[in-house]
């Protein structure tokens, strides 16, 4: 007699359970596709089910894996598809009776894998009578639980790996970013060093140092060039006291006052002063500084430049001395005609005074005649003294002074002065002076000197031509950008068009007793006024020398130190 059917069932169930219990070990460390096919194989090969279908979610929420085993019936896949189309995620075990319908029989069971089917599901079908029995359901859920555990393990491993990978990736990114940053810092450092070197070179070349003065700490900082200009040790702490100590005693009080005013009033700073070096040398320094405010309008520092203008000042002084020497020499040449210019009103004074005496001696005295004669005496006296004043201004060595000038007036004054010279050489003078010209900023004496030189050159050039053809024309017109253009034309031999620029070279002369400095000095004077001077061929004959001076707003001149030694000069030969 065989064993009882219940005992047989129990034996089979135990055998299946034992078989199932060995499965998880095989799944450890496996990926979901291996787990899913392992589970489907167990269901079909170990539990002898006709059909098994396993779906496991992708690790980390990725694409799901689907495995089907057994192909006994066609109805199962169709059912599966319909079933899944109608149901979403499976949260509990469901038994589906009579999948194939009719007499063929066959039941299906769907079991969630993991809590609420989070890891997937298992579907199985079998046409064994009574399927799924309680034991079948138990075995299937054990299998599904094993799969769920393996899946969770796989998921954990996956997540762990992803986390590790992400960590490695972020480490890699971090390293890359750090490397890039280091490279950028190195590049910027090189750039910065280069631009600092350029700046230092530029400061050295332009003799311009820079400085900063921190308002809160009162700390002063200087660039390399500032140290060099002040000729002090690089290790010395910059101080205002040191600057004042280096400042020429004559300028000290003025500098102290200027600095105090600018720092207290947080004002722009622009002044020039002299330094007295320990070995007695004098340096001219031009300081420009301005206050810097933060966004809230709070003053926080003073920055500026200190420029060594010693050379420039020296060159200017030399140019002025040269221009002065040229004026004195020119006036020397003109002594004869100037003497005539002065003698003429004096002679007229004598004549008129004698006439007045005669009218007074008449019986009765002709008082009206006397009055008229004395008026002429006074007029001539004034005329003579004006000529002398102008000559004196031209030979005096006064510091340059810019003022608003009407160029037409300046021209007329020179023409009056040259009246004798013009008459002496039988020259017809014509002026075409435009009306309503803007005033220009300039030094009267220097501009008179330019016009004087141009007219004298024209007079000299016309010496060689026949007397009737000697014509001098001086004209002014409004130039572009509000300046004034002055032209001096003559009917002399004219100029060689290819040598026009040579005329302005120092010491270029074609005259036996010439110095060749006149036009070169004229050009430097005009350029110091921001203008230009050039020569051209006149039509139909002769030369034309013209210059343009811009209208120019009054220049902001730095406050200049007064000369150390007052210069005095009297009229030439006087
Ligand atoms: P200098 O009068 O002592 O020679 P300048 O510099 O005034 O020196 O002039 C340089 C030269 O330019 C003159 O020697 C002369 O050859 C030429 N020059 C100047 N003005 C005229 C002019 N109006 N016509 C012809 N040549 C001129």
């Amino acid at each position: 007699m065989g064993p009882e059917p219940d005992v047989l069932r129990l034996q089979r169930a135990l055998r299946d359970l034992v078989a199932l219990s060995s499965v998880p070990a095989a799944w450890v460390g496996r990926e979901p596709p291996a787990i899913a096919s392992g589970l489907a194989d167990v269901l079909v090969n170990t539990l002898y089910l006709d059909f098994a279908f396993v779906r496991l979610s992708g690790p980390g929420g990725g694409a799901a894996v689907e495995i089907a085993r057994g192909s006994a019936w066609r109805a199962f896949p169709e059912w599966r598809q319909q079933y899944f189309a109608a149901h979403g995620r499976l949260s509990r075990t469901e038994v589906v009776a009579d999948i194939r319908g009719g007499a063929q029989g066959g039941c299906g069971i769907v079991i969630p894998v993991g809590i609420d089917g989070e890891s997937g599901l298992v579907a199985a079908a079998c046409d064994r009578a009574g399927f799924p029995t309680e034991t079948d359901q138990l075995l299937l859920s054990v299998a599904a639980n094993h799969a769920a555990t393996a899946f969770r393990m796989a998921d954990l491993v996956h997540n762990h790996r992803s986390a590790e990978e992400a960590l490695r990736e972020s480490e890699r990114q971090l390293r890359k970013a750090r490397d890039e940053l280091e490279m950028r810092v190195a590049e910027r450092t090189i750039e910065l060093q280069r631009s600092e070197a350029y700046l230092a070179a530029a400061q050295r070349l332009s003799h311009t140092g820079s400085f900063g003065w921190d308002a809160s700490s009162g700390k002063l900082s200087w660039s390399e060039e500032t140290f060099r200009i002040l000729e002090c040790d690089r290790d010395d702490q910059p101080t205002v006291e040191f600057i004042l100590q280096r400042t020429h005693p004559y300028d000290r009080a003025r500098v102290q006052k200027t600095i105090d005013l600018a720092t207290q009033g947080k004002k722009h700073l622009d002044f020039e002063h002299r330094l007295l070096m320990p070995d007695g040398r004098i340096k001219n320094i031009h300081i420009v500084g301005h206050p810097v405010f933060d966004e809230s309008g709070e003053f926080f520092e003073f920055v500026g430049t200190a420029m060594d203008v010693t050379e420039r000042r020296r060159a200017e002084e030399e140019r002025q001395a040269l221009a002065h020497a040229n004026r004195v020499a020119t006036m020397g040449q003109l002594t004869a005609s100037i003497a005539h210019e002065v003698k003429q009103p004096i002679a007229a004074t004598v004549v008129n005074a004698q006439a007045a005496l005669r009218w007074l001696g008449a019986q009765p005295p002709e008082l009206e005649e006397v009055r008229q004669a004395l008026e002429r005496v006074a007029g001539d006296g004034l005329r003579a003294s004006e000529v002398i004043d102008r000559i004196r201004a031209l030979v005096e060595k006064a510091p340059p002074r810019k003022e608003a000038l009407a160029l037409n007036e300046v021209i007329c004054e020179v023409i009056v002065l040259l009246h004798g010279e013009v008459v002496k050489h039988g020259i017809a003078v014509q002026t075409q002076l435009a009306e309503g010209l803007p005033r220009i900023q300039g030094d009267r004496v220097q501009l008179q000197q330019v016009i004087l030189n141009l007219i004298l050159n024209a007079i000299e050039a016309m010496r060689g031509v026949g007397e009737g053809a000697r014509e001098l024309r001086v004209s002014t017109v409004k130039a572009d950008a509000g300046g004034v253009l002055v032209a001096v034309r003559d009917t002399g031999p004219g100029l060689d068009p290819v040598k026009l620029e040579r005329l302005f070279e120092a010491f270029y002369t074609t005259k036996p007793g010439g110095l060749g400095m006149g036009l070169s000095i004229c050009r430097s004077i005009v350029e110091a006024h921001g203008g230009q001077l050039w020569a051209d061929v006149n039509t139909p004959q002769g030369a034309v020398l013209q210059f343009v001076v811009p209208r120019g707003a009054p220049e902001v001149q730095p406050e200049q130190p007064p000369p150390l030694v007052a210069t005095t000069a009297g009229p030439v030969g006087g």
Side-chain angles (χ1 to χ4, degrees):
M1 209 174 136
E4 287 293 309
D6 278 353
V7 175
L8 279 175
R9 264 207 314 279
L10 212 60
Q11 279 177 339
R12 207 170 47 237
L14 269 172
R15 187 199 65 212
D16 291 345
L17 251 178
V18 170
L20 276 180
S21 69
S22 64
V23 161
W27 289 346
V28 170
R30 309 293 302 271
E31 290 291 312
I35 298 168
S37 39
L39 178 57
D41 288 341
V42 165
L43 299 187
V44 175
N45 301 331
T46 310
L47 301 186
Y48 303 111
L49 302 181
D50 293 327
F51 208 93
F53 171 77
V54 179
R55 170 196 278 177
L56 287 183
S57 310
V65 183
E66 292 187 351
I67 300 288
R69 289 284 187 271
S71 54
W73 338 319
R74 243 190 298 122
F76 186 84
E78 284 164 19
W79 162 77
R80 184 169 51 91
Q81 258 164 21
Q82 280 167 14
Y83 182 87
F84 291 146
H87 298 73
R89 199 159 112 172
L90 190 75
S91 56
R92 60 187 169 83
T93 300
E94 278 180 29
V95 176
V96 191
D98 194 17
I99 294 173
R100 287 192 288 184
Q104 287 172 303
C107 281
I109 182 166
V110 192
I111 302 166
V113 177
I115 300 158
D116 288 340
E118 62 180 359
S119 310
L121 59 83
V122 175
C126 190
D127 63 357
R128 213 188 304 139
F131 180 83
T133 61
E134 237 177 275
T135 313
D136 289 329
Q137 290 194 31
L138 181 78
L139 289 170
L140 277 167
S141 44
V142 168
N145 279 343
H146 283 333
T149 308
F151 176 80
R152 267 203 302 279
M153 280 272 289
D155 206 32
L156 274 174
V157 169
H158 176 86
N159 286 345
H160 183 69
R161 280 198 196 124
S162 315
E164 266 183 354
E165 182 51 37
L167 201 69
R168 268 197 298 276
E169 177 60 20
S170 73
E171 266 177 6
R172 217 164 46 77
Q173 297 282 358
L174 225 72
R175 251 197 312 277
K176 199 173 141 205
R178 192 200 57 200
D179 289 350
E180 275 174 8
L181 207 72
E182 275 178 358
M183 213 160 76
R184 291 266 302 280
V185 169
E187 277 170 12
R188 290 304 302 272
T189 309
I190 292 172
E191 264 173 40
L192 210 68
Q193 283 168 345
R194 198 177 297 149
S195 78
E196 267 181 9
Y198 285 158
L199 189 69
Q203 291 206 350
R204 233 183 351 264
L205 285 172
S206 62
H207 305 295
T208 309
S210 52
F211 63 85
W213 181 72
D214 189 326
S216 54
S217 66
K219 207 172 153 210
L220 206 59
S221 53
W222 292 341
S223 75
E224 196 106 14
E225 186 60 17
T226 309
F227 277 99
R228 216 185 329 266
I229 291 172
L230 290 167
E231 294 181 22
C232 63
D233 203 339
R234 192 73 182 78
D235 300 327
D236 286 350
Q237 174 60 41
T239 57
V240 174
E241 288 69 42
F242 183 83
I243 300 176
L244 289 171
Q245 195 191 317
R246 269 277 190 274
T247 301
H248 196 287
Y250 286 5
D251 291 350
R252 218 169 269 161
R254 184 175 57 89
V255 170
Q256 170 85 70
K257 199 170 141 209
T258 312
I259 294 176
D260 287 351
L261 281 177
T263 48
Q264 281 159 19
K266 289 141 194 104
K267 289 213 184 81
H268 190 74
L269 200 63
D270 190 346
F271 70 98
E272 209 176 299
H273 72 293
R274 286 158 297 199
L275 300 181
L276 181 61
M277 294 319 194
D279 60 5
R281 274 174 302 125
I282 289 178
K283 281 187 175 184
N284 294 71
I285 308 297
H286 182 187
I287 305 272
V288 177
H290 67 96
V292 182
F293 302 89
D294 62 15
E295 298 92 57
S296 57
E298 202 64 34
F299 164 67
F300 74 97
E301 68 173 338
F302 228 97
V303 290
T305 56
M307 190 180 207
D308 184 348
V309 291
T310 314
E311 281 307 312
R312 193 194 288 176
R313 286 283 158 266
R314 194 168 298 150
E316 256 165 41
E317 275 164 21
E318 277 167 12
R319 189 179 64 76
Q320 278 161 24
L322 209 62
H324 177 247
N326 167 266
R327 281 200 305 271
V328 173
T330 310
M331 295 318 282
Q333 283 167 29
L334 293 178
T335 325
S337 43
I338 286 170
H340 174 77
E341 267 320 277
V342 183
K343 258 168 92 180
Q344 210 196 13
I346 292 173
T349 304
V350 174
V351 171
N352 279 309
Q354 284 168 345
L357 283 174
R358 272 200 311 279
W359 293 122
L360 263 181
Q363 284 303 331
E366 292 283 351
L367 288 181
E368 181 47 31
E369 296 291 346
V370 172
R371 198 185 59 78
Q372 283 179 16
L374 287 178
E375 261 176 15
R376 284 196 292 276
V377 167
D380 286 332
L382 269 179
R383 200 145 62 84
S385 90
E386 268 175 21
V387 173
I388 288 166
D389 281 350
R390 268 182 216 130
I391 296 163
R392 191 200 223 127
L394 277 164
V395 292
E396 216 168 46
K397 195 174 183 193
R401 194 166 65 102
K402 291 234 168 138
E403 57 185 317
L405 294 177
L407 270 180
N408 286 349
E409 260 175 41
V410 178
I411 291 169
C412 291
E413 284 160 1
V414 175
I415 290 178
V416 167
L417 207 62
L418 287 175
H419 179 251
E421 198 69 9
V422 164
V423 173
K424 191 165 99 188
H425 292 98
I427 289 165
V429 179
Q430 218 191 339
T431 49
Q432 277 181 342
L433 306 178
E435 279 176 24
L437 289 181
R439 281 176 180 267
I440 58 112
Q441 283 294 319
D443 182 287
R444 177 179 290 269
V445 170
Q446 288 186 356
L447 291 172
Q448 275 179 344
Q449 177 177 4
V450 172
I451 296 157
L452 189 75
N453 271 314
L454 298 185
I455 296 180
L456 279 177
N457 274 345
I459 294 175
E460 277 184 53
M462 288 188 287
R463 273 185 184 171
V465 299
E467 282 219 6
R470 295 178 189 171
E471 279 172 28
L472 175 79
R473 200 161 85 225
V474 184
S475 60
T476 50
V477 281
K478 206 176 199 162
D480 292 342
V484 177
L485 175 92
V486 180
V488 178
R489 292 164 208 275
D490 62 60
T491 52
L495 303 163
D496 181 349
V498 291
K499 286 191 186 155
L500 293 179
E501 270 308 296
R502 291 213 62 192
L503 312 189
F504 300 95
E505 286 171 15
F507 308 115
Y508 173 81
T509 181
T510 55
K511 299 169 194 168
L515 258 180
M517 288 303 292
L519 287 180
S520 131
I521 290 170
C522 288
R523 182 172 262 184
S524 78
I525 291 176
V526 171
E527 284 175 355
H529 281 78
Q532 278 171 301
L533 166 69
W534 67 101
D536 224 331
V537 179
N538 189 28
T539 42
Q541 189 200 341
V544 51
L545 275 110
Q546 41 200 332
F547 66 90
V548 63
V549 195
R551 184 227 283 276
E555 250 179 74
V556 186
Q557 291 277 353
E559 196 190 322
Q560 292 213 8
L564 277 176
V565 184
T567 46
T568 48
V572 71

